[in-house]
Amino acid sequence: MAEQPQSVVAIYPGSFDPITNGHLDLIRRSSRLFDRLIVSILRNDSKQPLFSLSDRMEMLRDVAAGFPNVEVDCFEGLLVHYAQRRGARVVLRGIRAISDYEYELQMTHMNRRLNPEIETVFLMANDSYSFISSRLVKEVFRLGGDIKELVPASVLARMRERASS
Amino acid sequence: MAEQPQSVVAIYPGSFDPITNGHLDLIRRSSRLFDRLIVSILRNDSKQPLFSLSDRMEMLRDVAAGFPNVEVDCFEGLLVHYAQRRGARVVLRGIRAISDYEYELQMTHMNRRLNPEIETVFLMANDSYSFISSRLVKEVFRLGGDIKELVPASVLARMRERASS
Amino acid sequence: MAEQPQSVVAIYPGSFDPITNGHLDLIRRSSRLFDRLIVSILRNDSKQPLFSLSDRMEMLRDVAAGFPNVEVDCFEGLLVHYAQRRGARVVLRGIRAISDYEYELQMTHMNRRLNPEIETVFLMANDSYSFISSRLVKEVFRLGGDIKELVPASVLARMRERASS
Amino acid sequence: MAEQPQSVVAIYPGSFDPITNGHLDLIRRSSRLFDRLIVSILRNDSKQPLFSLSDRMEMLRDVAAGFPNVEVDCFEGLLVHYAQRRGARVVLRGIRAISDYEYELQMTHMNRRLNPEIETVFLMANDSYSFISSRLVKEVFRLGGDIKELVPASVLARMRERASS
Amino acid sequence: MAEQPQSVVAIYPGSFDPITNGHLDLIRRSSRLFDRLIVSILRNDSKQPLFSLSDRMEMLRDVAAGFPNVEVDCFEGLLVHYAQRRGARVVLRGIRAISDYEYELQMTHMNRRLNPEIETVFLMANDSYSFISSRLVKEVFRLGGDIKELVPASVLARMRERASS
Amino acid sequence: MAEQPQSVVAIYPGSFDPITNGHLDLIRRSSRLFDRLIVSILRNDSKQPLFSLSDRMEMLRDVAAGFPNVEVDCFEGLLVHYAQRRGARVVLRGIRAISDYEYELQMTHMNRRLNPEIETVFLMANDSYSFISSRLVKEVFRLGGDIKELVPASVLARMRERASS
């Protein structure tokens, strides 16, 4: 009945539009906990992203380059189906606020019902990053605010590039 | 800067007075995620437990026996100091409710400040167990309610034994 | 000043797009508490439903057939006006999460101000159904997930029909 | 499978130490919803009440006198056992705040597991009473604050009597 | 290091589409706390307001007329930049519910990062107004409900005017 | 009807057992907003403090020395009575978490009922201090953890003194 872990693969799913320093902190911290971490962009045709899928994957690969056990990928369809295809036992989520928590709770129960073998694991955002979301970063930037402490340098460069084009 | 996990040890701390089916579910699920799991009783002299430390360790060992990578232990003092002594990189916590979440958030930030190398990881209670706490189990039992679906059989036996003595 | 209940009519309003097993559980449980229960679909022209009003009423009638004191209806305009027209003293609501609770709290205070004679009564979702919402059911189905434990069989049949047409 | 309500009995349990205007509002509102309402004091030997059980029952009877279908009682042991003995199908609870809600959620799930036939039904406190609790009323009174809008007149008289004795 | 307040200017930002009695209560209460209060409409081109900016400013000026130290204004761009331009040290926010609180917490941390000199100060809505929001007022009015206790008389007149035109 | 502020006095009440860097941050920030700030220790005989009232006042005076418009005091009885005696129009509170918020909400409504002229004003804890409470600081210190970033130097000195005596 007991089953020891051999090589644990974790998936960190998200939109990453764009990746923030909060995401980067979570990647750094969780890469130390699991044998392999797949940071994977959910393709969601109903949302209009700021950055194209290929731009987002490139930005993720930039920041993931320093972590040998981190891979960047994208997926469509149900997360639990994708996790199964990739042999992942863990889905990783960051929580910042109570409302995050509630949504995550509902999704976790649903995913557990869909596949009880896949475990959702939560890490809490570092207090310096708990107020950062991709949406807020984009809004502050659009209104002329300074975001250089909120996103990796490569993301800032791309945002400036887009804004000036 | 990047550091790959070799053997990840996780600590699951608690009072376990007594262990419930909710705790057992968390042990089962998390034993599959980490190389080694130490379920460890916090010795807290200011609380008056129902079961002695040695009784609680015995009950934990009973239920942990089926999991080869799970060890039972106890500790005093700061959790982060204990984790460091045991070479553990992960502290494991279950969350059931928003108020749990708030308390855990505060402790997580404090522990991170005390030792940023130790990561707190959260698993959400299974919906069938989310209403079970050691405190509530003891109260229902004391008032004559049936708790046989709420605790392992060995714990039920001990509770009956105590009540009849 | 005191007024004894004679025949208490309760309204359970919602979109029911489509009805889920969580809704069905609430209908079953509340039909035992009140003399008459009216399950009533709110016609909301600003929302684009998956199923037409007549389809939703048909699905509701299917599942309500087994309950002699349950009636299916629809309404437009303010809920408190509708309740008054139907001679209902109770509005019934299910709660699953804190965010539900907050929204319901605001609506309850508003409805009380609009008509203090009408009482909003809450039942908590059964833990097995607390993660099910119509929105989530539709999303899981669209992404190819299995929803047969989440909705009544008649609803599943209709969803498959729509998907294949 | 369906079962129509005949005569629905509801229990409103609590400490009522002392009864406040918030409790009274809930009694008034719920007496209109159920055929019979039993307001029942939980005897809890581990808590040190301000008023004796017989004093609290007398104060409750004073305020309940105006409601022909309301009875005052007290009980020991598990609430669901008591409800069953009294033929009650409903347990009535007031909610004021999120933290109330959380505690009530846990108790509701536990009670449902202990006896699925007994339904817990929630009413939200009126906004004028949402900040009133027995504990806070006692504290404000002890510190010399004016509580005459917070408790029934008969309760105020008794509190003054106690304070001057 | 210490710096005494000379003349403290506070900004109360919002959409005010339309101003409600809840907003008015907050203006009245906070005008007593700060030397000067600027009630300022955020111009947000992505939202489709019911009332035009000039209509909203006129309605605000109507209700602000009775307060000599209250000024009405509007702004675009980042709130902290606007506050700095206006020499304001305080941003004032009302909180009604937990979800308000969460959003406000995130914005407060972001604004503090953007300009630590500007302080966000919170007042809690009066319990009689805690369920009133501009959105809900508009919805109740559209569905034929009575809103005369929810908005100033001048706002009610304008809403009726619009509805009949 | 309108009344302009002349000189606004604010009270910041608490136990301050001991004062933490989170308290100090709030004193610094709010001293800039009001003409005069009274930091006042609530004498509560039912709580067993770690430091005596005179020790706590001395520690507060140490840290308040740098702020010319901050005074240290203590009080018994109802806060609103004390505020009235001191001519204070504002009660200042820090909020860190949702549960703080709930408790504060209840107290605010009660205080408003007791004296509607006194306004409770909230500031959110800085994210670096949101996890610090006097209780947690004492616990970490007792268990041998390092608290030098959590309290003012003068408080740390006194805590060490007490521990070694």
Side-chain angles (χ1 to χ4, degrees):
Chain A
M1 159 219 210
E3 173 192 358
Q4 255 182 289
Q6 291 162 355
S7 180
V8 179
V9 179
I11 287 173
Y12 179 24
S15 295
F16 304 104
D17 183 39
I19 182 173
T20 68
N21 283 343
H23 296 129
L24 179 54
D25 181 59
L26 219 79
I27 291 171
R28 186 187 56 73
R29 289 158 53 197
S30 54
S31 70
R32 300 174 61 241
L33 305 183
F34 303 103
D35 296 290
R36 187 171 186 71
L37 176 68
I38 305 173
V39 184
S40 193
I41 300 175
L42 167 63
R43 305 177 67 153
N44 187 343
D45 297 338
S46 68
K47 269 196 190 168
Q48 203 61 274
L50 178 67
F51 289 102
S52 71
L53 179 65
S54 63
D55 278 4
R56 285 182 278 158
M57 289 196 70
E58 221 175 291
M59 286 185 279
L60 276 179
R61 282 199 193 98
D62 272 5
V63 303
F67 305 95
N69 64 333
V70 175
E71 174 192 344
V72 173
D73 194 12
C74 65
F75 73 103
E76 290 184 293
L78 276 186
L79 177 59
V80 293
H81 292 174
Y82 170 66
Q84 203 161 7
R85 281 199 308 274
R86 296 299 317 257
R89 188 176 281 177
V90 172
V91 167
L92 189 82
R93 303 292 295 162
I95 341 184
R96 290 166 309 179
I98 299 290
S99 42
D100 284 9
Y101 171 80
E102 288 237 310
Y103 174 77
E104 295 294 340
L105 187 64
Q106 195 184 23
M107 288 308 298
T108 301
H109 284 314
M110 180 58 94
N111 285 336
R112 196 177 284 160
R113 178 71 67 102
L114 293 167
N115 186 340
E117 294 303 302
I118 290 169
E119 196 61 61
T120 306
V121 154
F122 296 88
L123 270 76
M124 286 194 191
N126 194 310
D127 49 7
S128 324
Y129 301 123
S130 66
F131 62 95
I132 305 177
S133 67
S134 296
R135 195 189 56 70
L136 198 52
V137 161
K138 284 182 280 191
E139 192 182 326
V140 169
F141 182 77
R142 189 177 57 80
L143 297 172
D146 180 0
I147 61 166
K148 75 169 173 291
E149 291 176 26
L150 310 179
V151 293
S154 57
V155 171
L156 183 59
R158 273 177 192 264
M159 291 192 75
R160 285 182 174 154
E161 210 175 281
R162 282 190 77 91
S164 65
S165 70
Chain B
M1 160 214 207
E3 174 192 359
Q4 256 182 287
Q6 291 163 352
S7 181
V8 179
V9 178
I11 288 174
Y12 179 23
S15 295
F16 303 105
D17 182 39
I19 182 171
T20 68
N21 283 343
H23 296 130
L24 180 53
D25 180 58
L26 219 78
I27 292 171
R28 186 187 56 71
R29 288 158 53 199
S30 53
S31 70
R32 299 173 61 241
L33 305 183
F34 302 103
D35 295 291
R36 187 170 186 71
L37 177 68
I38 305 173
V39 185
S40 193
I41 300 174
L42 167 63
R43 304 178 67 156
N44 187 341
D45 297 338
S46 68
K47 270 195 187 169
Q48 202 62 274
L50 178 67
F51 289 102
S52 71
L53 180 65
S54 63
D55 278 4
R56 285 181 278 158
M57 290 196 70
E58 219 175 293
M59 287 186 277
L60 276 179
R61 282 199 195 99
D62 272 6
V63 303
F67 304 97
N69 63 333
V70 175
E71 173 193 344
V72 173
D73 194 12
C74 64
F75 73 105
E76 291 184 293
L78 275 186
L79 176 59
V80 292
H81 291 175
Y82 171 66
Q84 204 160 6
R85 282 199 306 275
R86 296 299 318 256
R89 186 177 283 178
V90 171
V91 167
L92 190 82
R93 303 292 294 163
I95 339 185
R96 289 166 311 179
I98 300 288
S99 41
D100 283 9
Y101 171 80
E102 288 237 311
Y103 174 75
E104 295 293 341
L105 186 65
Q106 197 185 23
M107 289 307 299
T108 300
H109 283 313
M110 180 59 95
N111 284 336
R112 195 178 286 160
R113 178 70 68 102
L114 293 167
N115 186 342
E117 294 304 301
I118 290 168
E119 196 61 63
T120 307
V121 155
F122 296 88
L123 272 75
M124 287 193 191
N126 194 309
D127 48 9
S128 323
Y129 301 123
S130 66
F131 62 94
I132 305 177
S133 67
S134 296
R135 195 191 55 72
L136 197 51
V137 160
K138 283 182 280 191
E139 192 182 326
V140 169
F141 183 77
R142 188 178 57 81
L143 296 173
D146 179 0
I147 60 166
K148 75 168 170 290
E149 291 176 26
L150 310 180
V151 293
S154 57
V155 171
L156 182 59
R158 273 177 191 264
M159 291 192 73
R160 286 184 173 150
E161 211 174 281
R162 281 191 77 91
S164 65
S165 70
Chain C
M1 161 215 207
E3 176 193 357
Q4 257 182 286
Q6 292 163 353
S7 179
V8 179
V9 179
I11 288 174
Y12 178 25
S15 296
F16 302 106
D17 182 39
I19 183 172
T20 68
N21 284 342
H23 296 130
L24 180 54
D25 181 58
L26 220 78
I27 292 171
R28 186 187 57 71
R29 288 159 52 198
S30 53
S31 69
R32 300 174 61 241
L33 304 183
F34 302 104
D35 296 291
R36 188 168 185 72
L37 177 68
I38 306 173
V39 184
S40 193
I41 300 174
L42 168 63
R43 303 177 67 156
N44 187 341
D45 297 339
S46 67
K47 269 195 190 169
Q48 202 63 272
L50 177 68
F51 288 102
S52 71
L53 179 65
S54 62
D55 278 5
R56 283 181 279 158
M57 290 197 69
E58 221 174 290
M59 287 186 278
L60 275 180
R61 281 199 195 99
D62 273 6
V63 303
F67 305 97
N69 64 334
V70 175
E71 175 192 343
V72 172
D73 195 11
C74 65
F75 74 103
E76 290 184 294
L78 274 187
L79 176 59
V80 291
H81 291 174
Y82 170 65
Q84 203 161 5
R85 281 200 308 275
R86 295 300 317 257
R89 187 175 283 177
V90 171
V91 167
L92 190 82
R93 303 292 293 164
I95 338 184
R96 290 166 309 181
I98 299 288
S99 42
D100 282 10
Y101 170 81
E102 288 238 308
Y103 174 77
E104 296 293 342
L105 187 64
Q106 195 184 23
M107 288 307 298
T108 300
H109 284 312
M110 180 58 95
N111 285 335
R112 196 178 284 161
R113 178 70 67 101
L114 293 167
N115 186 341
E117 295 303 301
I118 290 168
E119 195 62 62
T120 307
V121 154
F122 295 88
L123 271 76
M124 285 194 192
N126 194 309
D127 49 7
S128 321
Y129 300 123
S130 67
F131 62 94
I132 305 178
S133 67
S134 295
R135 194 189 58 70
L136 198 51
V137 161
K138 284 181 281 192
E139 192 181 326
V140 169
F141 183 78
R142 189 176 58 81
L143 297 173
D146 179 1
I147 61 166
K148 75 167 172 294
E149 290 176 27
L150 310 179
V151 293
S154 57
V155 170
L156 183 58
R158 272 177 194 265
M159 291 193 73
R160 285 182 174 153
E161 212 174 278
R162 280 191 80 89
S164 65
S165 70
Chain D
M1 160 217 211
E3 173 192 359
Q4 256 182 287
Q6 291 163 354
S7 179
V8 179
V9 179
I11 287 173
Y12 179 24
S15 296
F16 303 105
D17 182 40
I19 182 171
T20 68
N21 283 343
H23 296 129
L24 180 54
D25 181 60
L26 219 80
I27 292 172
R28 186 186 58 71
R29 288 159 53 197
S30 54
S31 70
R32 298 172 64 240
L33 304 183
F34 302 104
D35 295 290
R36 187 172 187 71
L37 177 68
I38 305 172
V39 184
S40 194
I41 300 174
L42 167 63
R43 306 178 65 155
N44 187 340
D45 297 338
S46 68
K47 269 197 191 169
Q48 203 63 272
L50 178 68
F51 289 103
S52 71
L53 179 65
S54 62
D55 278 4
R56 284 182 278 158
M57 289 197 71
E58 221 175 289
M59 288 186 277
L60 275 180
R61 281 199 195 99
D62 273 4
V63 303
F67 305 96
N69 64 334
V70 175
E71 175 192 341
V72 173
D73 195 12
C74 65
F75 73 103
E76 291 184 292
L78 273 187
L79 176 59
V80 293
H81 291 174
Y82 170 66
Q84 204 162 6
R85 283 200 305 275
R86 295 300 316 257
R89 187 176 284 176
V90 171
V91 167
L92 190 81
R93 303 292 293 164
I95 341 185
R96 291 166 310 179
I98 300 288
S99 42
D100 283 11
Y101 170 81
E102 289 237 309
Y103 174 76
E104 295 293 342
L105 187 64
Q106 195 185 24
M107 288 308 299
T108 300
H109 284 314
M110 180 58 95
N111 284 336
R112 196 177 284 158
R113 178 70 68 98
L114 293 167
N115 185 342
E117 295 303 301
I118 290 169
E119 195 62 61
T120 305
V121 154
F122 295 88
L123 271 75
M124 285 193 193
N126 195 309
D127 48 9
S128 322
Y129 301 124
S130 66
F131 62 95
I132 306 177
S133 67
S134 296
R135 193 189 57 70
L136 197 51
V137 161
K138 285 182 281 192
E139 191 182 327
V140 169
F141 182 77
R142 189 176 58 80
L143 297 173
D146 179 1
I147 62 166
K148 75 167 171 294
E149 290 175 27
L150 310 179
V151 293
S154 56
V155 170
L156 182 59
R158 274 179 192 264
M159 291 192 73
R160 285 183 175 152
E161 210 175 282
R162 281 191 78 90
S164 65
S165 69
Chain E
M1 157 217 207
E3 173 192 359
Q4 255 182 288
Q6 293 163 354
S7 179
V8 179
V9 178
I11 287 173
Y12 179 25
S15 295
F16 303 105
D17 182 39
I19 181 172
T20 68
N21 283 342
H23 297 129
L24 180 53
D25 180 58
L26 219 78
I27 291 171
R28 187 186 56 71
R29 288 160 52 199
S30 54
S31 69
R32 300 174 61 241
L33 304 183
F34 302 103
D35 296 291
R36 187 171 187 71
L37 177 68
I38 305 172
V39 184
S40 194
I41 300 174
L42 168 63
R43 304 178 67 156
N44 186 340
D45 297 338
S46 68
K47 269 196 190 170
Q48 202 64 272
L50 177 68
F51 289 103
S52 71
L53 179 64
S54 62
D55 278 5
R56 283 181 278 157
M57 289 196 71
E58 221 174 290
M59 288 185 278
L60 275 179
R61 282 201 194 97
D62 273 5
V63 304
F67 305 97
N69 64 334
V70 175
E71 174 193 342
V72 173
D73 195 12
C74 65
F75 73 103
E76 291 184 292
L78 274 187
L79 176 59
V80 293
H81 291 174
Y82 171 66
Q84 203 161 7
R85 282 199 307 275
R86 295 300 317 256
R89 187 175 283 176
V90 171
V91 167
L92 190 81
R93 303 292 295 163
I95 341 185
R96 290 167 310 182
I98 299 288
S99 42
D100 284 9
Y101 170 81
E102 289 237 311
Y103 174 76
E104 296 293 342
L105 186 65
Q106 196 185 22
M107 287 307 299
T108 300
H109 284 313
M110 180 59 94
N111 284 336
R112 196 177 285 161
R113 178 70 67 101
L114 292 167
N115 186 341
E117 294 303 301
I118 290 168
E119 196 62 62
T120 307
V121 154
F122 296 88
L123 271 75
M124 287 194 190
N126 193 310
D127 48 8
S128 322
Y129 301 122
S130 67
F131 62 95
I132 306 178
S133 67
S134 296
R135 196 190 56 71
L136 198 52
V137 161
K138 284 181 280 190
E139 191 182 327
V140 169
F141 182 77
R142 189 176 58 79
L143 297 172
D146 180 0
I147 62 166
K148 75 166 172 292
E149 291 175 26
L150 310 180
V151 293
S154 57
V155 170
L156 183 58
R158 273 177 193 264
M159 291 193 72
R160 285 183 175 151
E161 210 174 280
R162 281 191 79 90
S164 65
S165 68
Chain F
M1 158 220 212
E3 175 193 357
Q4 256 181 289
Q6 291 161 356
S7 180
V8 179
V9 178
I11 288 174
Y12 178 24
S15 297
F16 303 105
D17 182 39
I19 182 171
T20 68
N21 283 343
H23 297 130
L24 180 54
D25 180 58
L26 220 78
I27 291 171
R28 186 187 56 73
R29 289 159 52 199
S30 53
S31 69
R32 300 173 62 240
L33 305 183
F34 302 104
D35 296 290
R36 188 170 185 70
L37 177 68
I38 305 171
V39 184
S40 195
I41 300 174
L42 167 63
R43 303 177 66 155
N44 187 340
D45 297 339
S46 68
K47 268 194 192 170
Q48 202 63 271
L50 178 67
F51 288 102
S52 71
L53 179 65
S54 62
D55 277 4
R56 285 182 278 158
M57 289 196 71
E58 220 174 293
M59 287 186 276
L60 275 179
R61 281 200 195 98
D62 272 5
V63 302
F67 305 96
N69 65 333
V70 175
E71 175 192 342
V72 173
D73 195 11
C74 65
F75 73 104
E76 291 184 293
L78 274 187
L79 176 59
V80 292
H81 291 174
Y82 170 66
Q84 204 161 6
R85 281 200 307 274
R86 296 299 317 256
R89 188 176 281 176
V90 171
V91 167
L92 190 81
R93 303 291 293 163
I95 340 183
R96 289 166 310 180
I98 299 289
S99 43
D100 283 9
Y101 171 81
E102 289 237 309
Y103 174 76
E104 296 293 342
L105 186 65
Q106 197 185 22
M107 289 307 298
T108 300
H109 284 314
M110 180 59 94
N111 284 335
R112 196 178 283 161
R113 178 71 67 101
L114 292 167
N115 186 341
E117 295 304 302
I118 290 169
E119 195 62 61
T120 307
V121 154
F122 295 88
L123 271 75
M124 286 192 192
N126 194 310
D127 49 8
S128 321
Y129 301 123
S130 67
F131 62 93
I132 305 178
S133 66
S134 296
R135 193 188 59 68
L136 198 51
V137 161
K138 285 182 280 192
E139 192 182 327
V140 168
F141 182 78
R142 189 177 58 81
L143 296 173
D146 180 0
I147 61 167
K148 77 167 170 292
E149 290 176 26
L150 310 179
V151 294
S154 56
V155 170
L156 182 59
R158 274 178 192 264
M159 291 193 74
R160 285 183 174 151
E161 212 174 280
R162 281 191 77 91
S164 65
S165 69

